[in-house]
Amino acid sequence: MAHGPRRARIAFSDSAAKQLESLTSEAELHALDRALVVVSVDPEVGEPIPGSADGPQLREYADEVERVRLLYWVTALRTVVVVAYLEV
């Protein structure tokens, strides 16, 4: 059986984990899940956020259908670390 590309692992910062705890509706969970799948398949899909070169390169992925944004960075081992989840 042929396998597609390996998905990136997803991890959450402490602040993002607290945001997740406050999600209660199926619609919110579905929107987040959809965005996480997109980013896990292609971590480079988000736009780089300009900033200092001192830390990791933050990226922003916006899903216009679900009306959510993820702020994240990607580690050298392709782990996507979600910093924030925002509804727009």
Side-chain angles (χ1 to χ4, degrees):
M1 174 186 336
H3 295 285
R6 185 174 160 261
R7 287 187 180 184
R9 186 172 155 262
I10 302 287
F12 297 95
S13 68
D14 289 343
S15 60
K18 285 186 174 112
Q19 283 183 291
L20 296 180
E21 290 173 6
S22 69
L23 296 181
T24 56
S25 78
E26 283 292 319
E28 289 174 321
L29 293 171
H30 174 77
L32 173 61
D33 189 52
R34 178 183 160 110
L36 291 174
V37 167
V38 170
V39 171
S40 73
V41 170
D42 182 8
E44 303 299 317
V45 70
E47 294 294 321
I49 297 173
S52 74
D54 296 340
Q57 172 67 62
L58 282 176
R59 301 182 76 81
E60 174 184 26
Y61 169 71
D63 183 324
E64 300 302 325
V65 174
E66 297 291 346
R67 300 179 51 80
V68 299
R69 290 187 312 157
L70 290 178
L71 301 181
Y72 67 95
W73 58 279
V74 183
T75 69
L77 298 176
R78 272 184 57 100
T79 296
V80 174
V81 178
V82 176
V83 176
Y85 161 73
L86 309 163
E87 293 185 61
V88 285

